[in-house]
Amino acid sequence: MPLIERAALLVLCVAACTALHEEDVGRWNWHRENFGAVSTVGFSNDARRAYVATKRGLLGCVSAKHGGVVWRRVLAESSAVVAVRESGNMVIGVVEDGRVTVISTDGVLVWESVVPGFAEGTTVLGVTDEKEDLWPSVVTMSRARDVVTVVPIKIDGSDFDWEPPVSLDLPASDLARACSVSAKGVLHCSTTRPDASGALRILTATLSFPMARQASGSPWTESTVAVPAEQLANTEAFAIASGEDSAFVLSQRIGNTAAGASCIGSSDANRHWKAPVCLAITGAFDTDRWELPESASSKLTGAVDEDRFGAVVAGWDTAGPKAGKAVFLTEIGALVGTSAGRVAWVRDDGLGAVDQAEPIEVAHAPKDAAPDAVSDEMLAKIHSSPLLAYEELIKRQLTQVVNLPATIVQQAQDIFDFVAGEPARRSESTTASGDFGLSRWFVLKSVSAVYCVTSEGGSVVWQLAAAALVPGEHRGHALRVVKVLKSGSSDADTPPHVFVLVRDATAGRDFVAQLGLGGDVKGVRALEKTIARAAVLPAVTYRDEHSASDFQAIILIADDDHVFVHPEAAAASGAGLSGVGSHVFAHIVDHSTGRLLGYELDLSGAVGELKLKLAWQVQIVAAEHERIVGSSLGAGSPYNYIITDGIKVHGNASMAGKNQVLRRYVNPNAVLVVTAVPPGVSKSEEDSGTKRDGYLVFYLVDGVTGAMLGSMIQPNAVAPVRILPVENLYLMHFFNTKRRRYQISVWELFEDTDVHKGMTAESTTNMKLLYSALFGMNEGKTFSSYESAPPKIIPSAFTFSVGARALAATVSERGVASKYLIAALTTDEVVSIDLTRHLLANMNDGISTMSWAPTSVISYNSTVLLSDKILTFPTKLESTSLMLVLGNDIYFTRVTAGKPFDMLNEDFGYIPLVLTVASVTLVTFVSAALSSRKQLTMQWS
């Protein structure tokens, strides 16, 4: 190797070090236990505990005194728990599909079973308490036959079994009926619409064995409740809700599901109906449709901030001698516990329904904290002359060496403080949160609210219900938060703007609200159409007068393909739109026709009349029984289906075999679509006589040109499929029916050119690859789908011991650190796996096992329930990524790719380091002086 290349390598190795002190470790690791979307709440017999059931199959216990979680258990991942009741020292939970689980009051599973005879079209009405003539019973109703069935659960010590069921036929009626059952075993059924006289017919029966019957021979007694005339005009339907020993008739107003229910009649324990006096609703009922009466919600008026938590929509309270405690549910999913009419605690369980997060750096690092990005000019120098590249490298390193004295002085100050027994006097700008990008705020979105939480401790900075993001006249409508967008600023020290897209289903229009980092609403724009897709336009900016900075505009695409640019000032002149019109693409996966559609921005119309036009379409589904089951665009939501061509990406050479080096093919515009063929269907006409197991087909399509980049059939595989794109990798997680295990298939994409010979023959290419590995070769280069050739795909496969609910990968600023796979498992754990190591070890085209050590469980002793999504973010530390797990729970921590090579231990030897650097410097100058004297003596002699 020439002397100049050796010198360049030596200079590269003397780069200044940025590291994290061990005292900063452990501050960014937290876990929020949530319940999510609540379906019903029940109380213990002594009213000290409340049992919370959710629509995601979770049943838990909280303290009725302070709201703390006592225990939680998942009964069914995909079905709602619709009834819960404590009987003796057991808790009975019933899922909407008929599964029954008995749990001890301390959270231990005791018994599981399915209600005998439970079939499709059957609804669970509730669970009765144990009494003298009746075991605890599950009460169901068959809507097809108008039959109520009571199935008792016989409890004999620790043994449980079903008693023979008893059926009650409802009297014939031309009107539909809604039924509910109280804890005392009183069954109420009400017609959902009044009869010709304007009255609701109420049927009541007391459950017992044998069934008590009236003088007429029927177990039912009938009564009527008159509906006020003003209720008839604005009511869609009526329902009935049962308490401990009473019932309430509710009315639902048309087109309003937020707070539009009112109570028109109630009965006491003696079944005497009265109107319109109503108390707080108790018992289990469908909170999606039937809400709390206005008289009950008024009890909490002024006690709960409706801008933060929304209006109260449901409630459950205790009865009998333990009366006085209640739990209320608000619009955003928060639980409010009260005692004697006063708020005792509030749980932000709406965070259990978060589906999107946008990171915001609060403490901005200095602009010279990281080396400058590689420019096109620098790349040109490498191509033209390696000597000029060496010169530029040396300049960059000397810049860091100049700052070395200040670093040494700071370290000496730390040493002096340590010897003196004083804490290190490092300012905030040199702490982890200032220098390393670990301090973030996350703007989280659920269906009904927007939250802002910190990365340090997970505390909620602010939260806003959807009603607080729209004009006052729209409050009380059916509102839904659709998407959150973060608009970056050209000034690194200026925080970004946050835009929230809110839908008013009642009025049929959308709103765009701009929020400050303090949670204040700075402006709201009403849109005349509903928005289908939204994204940030980096090339189009607008001027913010308050901060005097330029911010990125956002593009909003309506259902009819009409395009809005927000703020309006950004689109007033059309400046910048012509430059990005051919670089904005929207995609739709049409499941009905099995096509992938690509649209581009049409700039042919006047300003303010922008539209999308169809650019290409690809017929994905080819077989009769084939159907699309997933894509890399996202599952089910069309709001992420926008990408832009011309994105700067990391990419460099990578080993693709024992004697082969290929350059990574990193296409940010590629879309992976997965289809499934069920078992028993032939793969082709040639083997039509042979029935096959189910299989999956993977299609890789360029999102800009619509070109097919590759496809593959995966036999013996069934959905669901988890897809994870990572630079030049595509990971697909599914279940292999032949191996009876989960499997991860990996596609590695490379440019179809071998550069191995160039590495050994040309010093220019050698330097390019060296510079690429150290500084990111393609950081200043943009990828274009129009100029790229199809990639070479190298597949590999791994068995996976358990199922994964969500997948992600670590990210870093420079792309130097190894890639680690982050997986949220069905065992409620989060693990990290060295993806690079497994890929290098699996070059023999076989199938190996992707395993992990117990130390790779990054959730430690935390149980992260029902995870849906994992988000990772880079930091200033190359070895460290931030990880945020969303789902029923929220879990945040830092993940290191391998060993934290840029972290200093507490016992780091500062004094030996300073002495070593000083000694080397002294020896260098002395050697230089002696060498110079020797050369001078040789010239004179």
Side-chain angles (χ1 to χ4, degrees):
M1 180 182 292
L3 180 61
I4 189 169
E5 291 192 10
R6 295 181 182 179
L9 287 176
L10 179 61
V11 172
L12 290 174
C13 296
V14 191
C17 174
T18 302
L20 177 69
H21 287 262
E22 192 167 303
E23 64 193 62
D24 295 321
V25 177
R27 295 171 58 191
W28 293 274
N29 186 303
W30 47 269
H31 177 208
R32 289 188 66 99
E33 296 181 323
N34 304 309
F35 284 101
V38 176
S39 58
T40 185
V41 174
F43 282 91
S44 62
N45 296 329
D46 57 7
R48 294 183 178 180
R49 299 177 303 277
Y51 301 108
V52 181
T54 73
K55 298 175 184 177
R56 294 197 62 181
L58 181 67
L59 177 62
C61 176
V62 300
S63 169
K65 181 178 180 180
H66 51 73
V69 176
V70 180
W71 54 263
R72 297 182 304 163
R73 178 173 289 274
V74 178
L75 305 188
E77 291 191 19
S78 57
S79 302
V81 180
V82 294
V84 58
R85 184 76 63 195
E86 181 182 279
S87 180
N89 60 346
M90 300 295 173
V91 181
I92 303 173
V94 186
V95 184
E96 62 182 351
D97 58 7
R99 282 178 283 181
V100 177
T101 304
V102 178
I103 304 173
S104 65
T105 53
D106 56 357
V108 179
L109 178 64
V110 177
W111 183 64
E112 286 182 305
S113 185
V114 178
V115 177
F118 195 93
E120 186 177 355
T122 303
T123 303
V124 177
L125 299 182
V127 180
T128 65
D129 203 352
E130 182 178 1
K131 56 182 184 178
E132 294 181 358
D133 54 356
L134 183 65
W135 293 104
S137 302
V138 179
V139 184
T140 64
M141 177 180 177
S142 174
R143 298 195 178 276
R145 298 185 295 118
D146 270 354
V147 176
V148 175
T149 304
V150 183
V151 189
I153 303 175
K154 182 179 179 180
I155 303 176
D156 186 7
S158 59
D159 296 330
F160 297 81
D161 200 1
W162 294 104
E163 285 284 291
V166 175
S167 299
L168 288 80
D169 293 326
L170 290 170
S173 174
D174 296 333
L175 299 175
R177 280 178 287 232
C179 297
S180 66
V181 63
S182 70
K184 302 299 183 182
V186 180
L187 183 64
H188 303 277
C189 291
S190 169
T191 54
T192 58
R193 296 295 302 172
D195 56 19
S197 62
L200 297 176
R201 296 174 58 192
I202 310 295
L203 295 174
T204 306
T206 302
L207 305 179
S208 61
F209 280 88
M211 187 63 64
R213 296 183 179 273
Q214 308 301 321
S216 61
S218 171
W220 299 99
T221 59
E222 184 174 343
S223 56
T224 59
V225 175
V227 179
E230 62 271 12
Q231 293 284 348
L232 292 176
N234 299 320
T235 299
E236 182 180 81
F238 295 86
I240 190 166
S242 295
E244 293 290 329
D245 51 10
S246 58
F248 308 90
V249 175
L250 306 178
S251 66
Q252 185 189 28
R253 296 175 189 167
I254 297 175
N256 190 340
T257 60
S262 60
C263 183
I264 65 168
S266 63
S267 72
D268 55 21
N270 297 321
R271 306 180 189 176
H272 295 157
W273 288 90
K274 52 188 177 180
V277 180
C278 289
L279 302 176
I281 294 178
T282 60
F285 59 95
D286 187 359
T287 56
D288 268 344
R289 189 168 180 83
W290 311 110
E291 280 84 19
L292 190 69
E294 294 174 352
S295 58
S297 62
S298 64
K299 288 186 176 182
L300 295 179
T301 302
V304 177
D305 187 352
E306 291 194 3
D307 284 345
R308 295 182 58 198
F309 300 102
V312 176
V313 295
W316 303 263
D317 67 359
T318 56
K322 300 295 183 181
K325 294 184 179 179
V327 174
F328 294 92
L329 178 68
T330 70
E331 284 179 311
I332 71 169
L335 289 177
V336 182
T338 65
S339 179
R342 295 186 177 182
V343 175
W345 49 268
V346 178
R347 288 185 52 87
D348 288 324
D349 284 298
L351 287 166
V354 168
D355 56 9
Q356 184 189 352
E358 290 291 339
I360 296 176
E361 289 193 34
V362 179
H364 297 275
K367 295 182 179 180
D368 58 350
D372 297 333
V374 183
S375 61
D376 293 335
E377 181 182 358
M378 183 62 191
L379 292 175
K381 287 184 178 181
I382 295 177
H383 283 281
S384 61
S385 173
L387 186 60
L388 295 177
Y390 298 146
E391 179 183 351
E392 184 66 25
L393 291 176
I394 294 174
K395 287 181 179 179
R396 291 165 68 98
Q397 298 307 312
L398 287 178
T399 302
Q400 297 183 355
V401 173
V402 169
N403 297 328
L404 185 61
T407 305
I408 295 177
V409 171
Q410 180 64 56
Q411 300 296 343
Q413 181 65 54
D414 289 344
I415 295 172
F416 177 80
D417 292 338
F418 176 78
V419 174
E422 299 179 2
R425 293 177 290 183
R426 290 183 287 119
S427 64
E428 180 65 24
S429 61
T430 59
T431 60
S433 61
D435 271 350
F436 307 119
L438 296 178
S439 182
R440 302 284 181 94
W441 282 5
F442 295 103
V443 178
L444 309 178
K445 178 199 80 70
S446 69
V447 175
S448 53
V450 179
Y451 306 84
C452 180
V453 301
T454 64
S455 61
E456 189 171 355
S459 58
V460 178
V461 181
W462 50 263
Q463 65 188 67
L464 292 173
L469 303 174
V470 297
E473 61 270 18
H474 293 269
R475 297 196 176 195
H477 288 191
L479 302 174
R480 182 165 65 94
V481 180
V482 175
K483 191 175 180 63
V484 173
L485 296 167
K486 180 185 69 173
S487 172
S489 170
S490 58
D491 186 359
D493 295 327
T494 302
H497 285 172
V498 177
F499 295 97
V500 183
L501 184 63
V502 183
R503 175 156 301 162
D504 184 348
T506 305
R509 64 190 309 180
D510 288 359
F511 297 88
V512 180
Q514 180 179 339
L515 303 182
L517 287 188
D520 52 315
V521 180
K522 295 187 175 181
V524 179
R525 176 185 176 185
L527 304 174
E528 298 299 328
K529 302 177 183 293
T530 56
I531 302 301
R533 293 169 292 276
V536 176
L537 281 175
V540 181
T541 61
Y542 66 95
R543 188 72 172 176
D544 180 67
E545 301 298 335
H546 179 71
S547 60
S549 300
D550 293 329
F551 287 83
Q552 298 167 331
I554 62 175
I555 182 173
L556 307 171
I557 303 176
D559 291 327
D560 60 355
D561 296 335
H562 186 88
V563 178
F564 298 92
V565 177
H566 183 79
E568 295 177 282
S573 61
L577 286 177
S578 58
V580 300
S582 60
H583 299 283
V584 177
F585 298 86
H587 303 88
I588 295 179
V589 178
D590 191 340
H591 292 264
S592 60
T593 61
R595 294 181 301 168
L596 178 64
L597 307 174
Y599 295 83
E600 63 182 7
L601 191 61
D602 185 3
L603 299 176
S604 59
V607 176
E609 297 181 358
L610 304 175
K611 285 191 175 184
L612 288 181
K613 63 180 180 180
L614 182 65
W616 52 263
Q617 57 180 319
V618 177
Q619 184 65 42
I620 300 295
V621 173
E624 179 182 357
H625 300 281
E626 191 176 3
R627 60 186 179 88
I628 298 176
V629 294
S631 71
S632 58
L633 294 173
S637 172
Y639 302 106
N640 298 324
Y641 292 1
I642 288 186
I643 60 175
T644 57
D645 185 32
I647 300 177
K648 294 184 179 181
V649 298
H650 294 275
N652 50 31
S654 177
M655 292 293 295
K658 294 183 178 179
N659 298 312
Q660 189 179 27
V661 178
L662 297 178
R663 190 170 300 280
R664 295 176 182 175
Y665 178 88
V666 186
N667 185 348
N669 308 325
V671 179
L672 182 70
V673 181
V674 184
T675 63
V677 177
V681 178
S682 302
K683 290 184 181 179
S684 61
E685 296 180 357
E686 288 76 9
D687 60 352
S688 58
T690 304
K691 296 300 181 181
R692 302 276 186 169
D693 289 335
Y695 62 92
L696 301 174
V697 186
F698 304 105
Y699 301 92
L700 187 64
V701 182
D702 190 286
V704 173
T705 63
M708 184 67 69
L709 302 179
S711 63
M712 183 186 74
I713 295 178
Q714 176 64 52
N716 308 313
V718 294
V721 183
R722 314 291 182 190
I723 303 173
L724 175 65
V726 185
E727 291 186 349
N728 69 316
L729 303 177
Y730 282 88
L731 284 76
M732 293 78 74
H733 173 277
F734 51 87
F735 186 77
N736 191 308
T737 56
K738 183 178 181 179
R739 297 179 180 273
R740 299 294 178 184
R741 304 193 72 177
Y742 289 95
Q743 178 177 323
I744 288 184
S745 291
V746 182
W747 281 8
E748 291 186 87
L749 276 59
F750 296 96
E751 295 180 7
D752 200 6
T753 304
D754 191 350
V755 299
H756 182 267
K757 296 180 180 180
M759 289 183 60
T760 58
E762 300 179 8
S763 60
T764 302
T765 305
N766 185 7
M767 188 59 200
K768 287 167 60 180
L769 293 175
L770 173 64
Y771 200 89
S772 168
L774 293 173
F775 293 101
M777 180 69 186
N778 291 339
E779 265 191 289
K781 185 180 179 181
T782 58
F783 176 90
S784 177
S785 294
Y786 298 109
E787 302 174 359
S788 175
K792 177 179 181 180
I793 300 177
I794 301 179
S796 56
F798 305 88
T799 59
F800 213 65
S801 59
V802 297
R805 293 194 179 100
L807 298 175
T810 57
V811 291
S812 59
E813 276 198 344
R814 309 302 301 175
V816 175
S818 300
K819 290 294 178 185
Y820 270 62
L821 173 66
I822 310 298
L825 307 179
T826 54
T827 57
D828 301 322
E829 297 175 314
V830 183
V831 299
S832 64
I833 305 169
D834 191 343
L835 185 58
T836 304
R837 179 178 63 84
H838 280 86
L839 290 176
L840 292 176
N842 193 34
M843 289 185 176
N844 55 0
D845 297 330
I847 183 168
S848 60
T849 300
M850 186 172 288
S851 58
W852 57 89
T855 54
S856 298
V857 180
I858 55 181
S859 56
Y860 306 107
N861 59 347
S862 297
T863 301
V864 186
L865 293 179
L866 303 177
S867 302
D868 294 327
K869 185 182 298 184
I870 303 176
L871 304 175
T872 55
F873 311 97
T875 66
K876 302 299 181 183
L877 294 171
E878 184 63 26
S879 68
T880 304
S881 300
L882 301 181
M883 181 199 71
L884 185 67
V885 181
L886 301 179
N888 200 91
D889 291 1
I890 299 180
Y891 183 73
F892 176 83
T893 189
R894 297 178 300 108
V895 181
T896 57
K899 295 182 179 180
F901 51 82
D902 45 8
M903 183 183 298
L904 299 180
N905 294 329
E906 186 177 358
D907 57 349
F908 181 79
Y910 295 101
I911 296 179
L913 175 63
V914 174
L915 294 178
T916 300
V917 173
S919 301
V920 171
T921 304
L922 179 61
V923 170
T924 301
F925 281 105
V926 172
S927 299
L930 293 178
S931 176
S932 177
R933 179 178 298 180
K934 183 177 180 180
Q935 291 181 1
L936 182 61
T937 302
M938 292 176 60
Q939 292 178 0
W940 278 101
S941 61

